[in-house]
Amino acid sequence: MLELPRQLNLFENAGPLLARLRAEAPFPSEAAMVARAREIVTTLSEAEQIAVINAHPRIGERPDQLSAASLAEQGYDEPPEVMLRLAVLNEEYEQKFGFRFVVFVNRRPKQAIVPVLEARLRSTRDEERRTALREILAIAEDRLTRREG
């Protein structure tokens, strides 16, 4: 059976999700835990879902504010103008939707994320909440796959 504490970085510090996973642990495998997380997020209240979303760091966050996994995924070789644009877009996104922008970076440069963020600003709040949760699960699955590989 899987010991949960070692696996929690798959989901950053997503309180309501982690509380449910802890209550149901142990899991037979990491894949089973991620599959269960996928089910759990659909049953969380909107406020709990937003807490899970807001547990993820902002794209372009200062390195000292990132988990080791997020820092490795996001990287930091970007021109200052890209970082400034991301900061402005993050602020606009959070003002519009009331939660953080989350995207599966997949080791893409931040410059490639700018048009994604701009496009997602045209979505509805409900679409973005669902998209953010899907992205969180994709990030967790990627972290799991890279650890196994």
Side-chain angles (χ1 to χ4, degrees), residues 38 41-42 52-53 102-104 120 123 126-141:
R38 186 175 301 288
V41 297
T42 65
V52 168
I53 294 166
V102 178
V103 66
F104 176 28
R120 285 185 43 195
S123 298
D126 284 341
E127 288 169 336
E128 275 308 298
R129 185 171 40 84
R130 288 189 300 272
T131 298
L133 293 168
R134 280 193 307 272
E135 296 289 300
I136 287 167
L137 292 161
I139 292 164
E141 287 173 337

Side-chain angles (χ1 to χ4, degrees), residues 2 9 11 16 18 22 24 29 41 46 54 57 60 70 74-75 79 83 91 101-102 105 114-115 124 132 138 147:
L2 177 70
N9 68 339
F11 303 102
L18 297 182
R22 280 188 186 103
E24 295 183 20
S29 68
V41 297
E46 182 176 328
N54 285 339
S70 286
Q74 288 194 31
M83 300 304 285
E91 179 65 25
F101 171 73
V102 178
V105 173
V114 169
T124 68
R147 202 166 37 199

Side-chain angles (χ1 to χ4, degrees), residues 1-145:
M1 291 306 235
L2 177 70
E3 288 297 319
L4 191 58
R6 185 175 90 74
Q7 313 312 321
L8 297 182
N9 68 339
L10 294 177
F11 303 102
E12 295 290 333
N13 190 25
L17 175 58
L18 297 182
R20 292 276 300 274
L21 289 171
R22 280 188 186 103
E24 295 183 20
F27 295 92
S29 68
E30 289 177 322
M33 181 184 63
V34 172
R36 183 61 185 132
R38 186 175 301 288
E39 295 168 357
I40 289 170
V41 297
T42 65
T43 68
L44 296 174
S45 70
E46 182 176 328
E48 290 171 321
Q49 289 177 342
I50 290 170
V52 168
I53 294 166
N54 285 339
H56 271 259
R58 289 174 182 88
I59 296 295
E61 185 70 79
R62 292 188 346 249
D64 65 328
Q65 298 296 308
L66 298 175
S67 68
S70 286
L71 182 58
E73 292 158 356
Q74 288 194 31
Y76 268 85
D77 287 336
E78 297 289 341
E81 61 272 9
V82 171
M83 300 304 285
L84 179 59
R85 180 71 178 138
L86 282 173
V88 169
L89 289 170
N90 274 324
E91 179 65 25
E92 183 179 342
Y93 184 96
E94 290 176 28
Q95 288 296 313
K96 179 175 181 178
F97 297 117
F99 49 84
R100 289 183 179 168
F101 171 73
V102 178
V103 66
F104 176 28
V105 173
N106 196 19
R107 292 162 290 286
R108 291 178 285 181
K110 288 184 185 62
Q111 180 63 46
I113 302 303
V114 169
V116 174
L117 207 165
E118 289 170 337
R120 285 185 43 195
L121 275 163
R122 294 187 290 272
S123 298
T124 68
R125 188 173 190 275
D126 284 341
E127 288 169 336
E128 275 308 298
R129 185 171 40 84
R130 288 189 300 272
T131 298
L133 293 168
R134 280 193 307 272
E135 296 289 300
I136 287 167
L137 292 161
I139 292 164
E141 287 173 337
D142 181 67
R143 288 176 178 177
L144 177 59
T145 300

